[in-house]
Structures are given as structure tokens and as C-alpha cells.
Amino acid sequence: MSRLEIKPLSAVAGAEVIGLDGNVPIADADFARVHKAWLDSCVIVFRDQRLSPDAHESFSARFGPLKGHVLKQYLLPGRQFTLVLSNKKVNGEAVGLEDAGRYWHSDVSYEDVPPMASMLYGLEIPPTGGDTLFANQYAAYTNLPQALRDRIAGLKARHVFNYGKIQAEPGSARKPLTEEQQKQLAGAVHPVVRTHPESGRKALYVSPGFTVAIEGLAADESKSLLQELIGYATAPEVIYRHVWKPFDAVLWDNRCLMHHATTYDPTYTRHMHRTTIAGTRPF
Ligand code: SIN
């Protein structure tokens, strides 16, 4: 009999899965419970995991095929699927992305087929700060007034990863992109409201990080509509704050959540590995 427990972490999102070791193959009955908890709460937390890069990748792959990342400069050396998010330096050179996700976004929404999920594994965590905020976009959509829901029905928005802007920020150590990478970052157009392919529920799908304009609207109108939507998308009542402990593995659903990394004292180390799980085209 399985000793797996699922404990809600907040009223709006998040559940902790207790009694599971990501190194050990998960029995189908246990996986069905974990998967349901993940679909229901959008983000699940596995505490105190000891995952080698192989184990992290195979644990993530239990949820679906893995997807690489356009920023190959920041993959763990020799690996195709593990992105390093870190402020560590070796011989003065950054080993990973130090400033990843310091804005609200849904991972890689600037591609036509963004990843369904991401699993972030915390190897070294600062004593305070460096939390990850998760905003439930089902709840954000539900909270919209009916007139606003009617107004955005059928609208599409353009998503772009403005790497150059991040690179130009003071103190940024971001490495240059190749021509091929620049081509890959041409952007994508997605519905403003997407339907989750598994739950069938509607979720807002715009972010301050990557959504640059609503298609077919004048610039001013697009800007003010986006601002209004972002207000609902990031309202305090839709947010779960994850305070990291070392060796947490956190799996989130990019189809119904945005997330945002918070800052921390850079004299401490924050060192994480992230995998992403392939998704389907938003509709
Ligand atoms: C990200 O995946 O966007 C980064 C999240 C984090 O570092 O907390």
C-alpha cells in the first residue's frame, strides 16, 4: 500500500507530495495521484530530493518527453535538457543564467509550441529571498468581469523574448546569442485566453515578461488592455509563494500558471537545474 500523501500548500495553487523519491520508478497508481494533484493545483513540490542530472531528467520525463532550450550556452555541460539557473561563477565566468525569470511569465511562450511544464530543482538556496511566485491563471480568468471576458474572447497576442533588453541591463552577464538563436527568437502569436488541453478549463495567457502586443489593436489600446489583464493575472489573491529549501523539486504547469523569481542577496549562492517538458500548441 502506497504511503504517498498530498498536502495543499495554499488555497489558490500548490500541493506538496510527501513520500515519493524521484530516483525510484513511480508505480502507475501513485503516478495517477501525483498527476491529478498537479493538474488540480498547477504546481507540486517534492521536498528533500537527491537528484543527479540523470535522475532529474528521468523524473521529469515521467510527465512527458523533455524539450531542449534555445539558450544552449546555459545548458549543463554535455546535456541537452538541463538548463542551469545560477549565480555561481567559475574562473570569473557565469555557469548559468543568474537573472532568469525576474518578471512574470509562462516559460518559453515566445515559441509556437511552448513547454507544458517545467521542473526546477534547487541545489543551493540563499537563506532568504530567491522565492518563486506562482500566479494561477485559471483564477485570474475567473476573476475577470464578464464584459472583459467578452471583450478578449478570440483575441490573440504576440509573445517575444527580448534577450537584448535583458542583456543591456546594468550588470548583466548574459552571453551573446548566435545568429541561429536570434532567428529562433522571432516570437509567436497565441490566444489571450487558452484552453487547458487536459482540464478543459480556460486560463489567461498573457505576461509582462513576453507578451508585447495584442494583435489587431492600436498600440495604445493594446497597451492599456494588456495592463488591465496583467492586473488580474498578478493580483495577490491568485499567487502562491514558494519559499525554497535545498533539494526541493518543483513541477509547474505552464498552461495555467505564470511565475516570477524574486531577488536575493547575491553574496549567497542560488544554484538550480531546470528541465522542461514538451507541450502542444496553445488553443
Ligand atoms: C524561471 O524558470 O523562470 C526561474 C524561476 C526561478 O528561478 O525561481
Side-chain angles (χ1 to χ4, degrees):
M1 163 115 160
S2 162
R3 289 175 42 236
L4 208 67
E5 269 180 67
I6 314 272
K7 189 178 99 184
L9 289 170
S10 84
V12 72
E16 183 178 345
V17 178
I18 302 165
L20 186 144
D21 178 351
N23 286 288
V24 177
I26 311 170
D28 288 346
D30 283 346
F31 183 73
R33 286 184 64 202
V34 171
H35 193 258
K36 181 173 182 329
W38 176 62
L39 284 183
D40 291 348
S41 59
C42 304
V43 49
I44 49 177
V45 175
F46 307 90
R47 301 268 191 204
D48 206 22
Q49 300 292 314
R50 296 295 194 278
L51 301 174
S52 66
D54 272 344
H56 179 196
E57 289 187 2
S58 45
F59 187 24
S60 314
R62 185 68 168 88
F63 293 83
L66 301 187
K67 174 179 165 52
H69 197 281
V70 59
L71 298 182
K72 298 202 176 2
Q73 298 87 330
Y74 296 106
L75 290 175
L76 192 63
R79 305 206 77 95
Q80 201 187 337
F81 297 118
T82 302
L83 190 69
V84 181
L85 310 186
S86 180
N87 63 341
K88 269 192 191 177
K89 292 200 170 56
V90 172
N91 299 328
E93 200 173 324
V95 302
L97 281 164
E98 180 171 352
D99 53 356
R102 297 261 178 94
Y103 40 76
W104 284 108
H105 66 289
S106 173
D107 280 331
V108 194
S109 69
Y110 47 82
E111 288 186 4
D112 286 335
V113 185
M116 155 179 101
S118 307
M119 187 187 278
L120 189 59
Y121 176 51
L123 288 140
E124 289 177 66
I125 303 297
T128 55
D131 305 336
T132 308
L133 309 178
F134 293 97
N136 183 327
Q137 298 306 293
Y138 292 137
Y141 180 73
T142 304
N143 291 344
L144 298 181
Q146 187 59 47
L148 189 49
R149 283 196 220 165
D150 292 344
R151 183 170 171 215
I152 61 175
L155 289 182
K156 295 192 170 178
R158 172 160 291 278
H159 296 236
V160 172
F161 184 15
N162 195 341
Y163 189 87
K165 184 166 166 243
I166 302 173
Q167 206 180 20
E169 277 168 17
S172 170
R174 291 255 177 155
K175 298 175 184 173
L177 296 181
T178 62
E179 258 180 52
E180 181 58 29
Q181 286 173 320
Q182 281 168 15
K183 271 194 226 145
Q184 280 178 275
L185 292 178
V189 171
H190 297 302
V192 167
V193 178
R194 70 181 290 185
T195 303
H196 194 290
E198 293 184 81
S199 71
R201 296 175 66 194
K202 287 186 170 167
L204 263 187
Y205 196 57
V206 288
S207 71
F210 298 142
T211 312
V212 293
I214 297 187
E215 297 274 288
L217 299 189
D220 281 2
E221 200 188 343
S222 161
K223 192 171 168 200
S224 70
L225 182 52
L226 277 175
Q227 261 169 6
E228 190 176 1
L229 294 175
I230 297 300
Y232 287 92
T234 60
E237 63 271 21
V238 304
I239 294 174
Y240 160 65
R241 172 183 285 263
H242 184 68
V243 179
W244 288 88
K245 291 185 189 161
F247 310 115
D248 284 353
V250 175
L251 177 78
W252 65 82
D253 188 337
N254 287 305
R255 302 165 297 183
C256 52
L257 278 184
M258 283 203 290
H259 60 284
H260 185 311
T262 66
T263 54
Y264 56 92
D265 176 346
T267 59
Y268 291 100
T269 299
R270 187 176 189 267
H271 187 75
M272 333 275 276
H273 286 172
R274 196 186 85 183
T275 49
T276 44
I277 299 156
T280 50
R281 190 182 290 272
F283 60 89

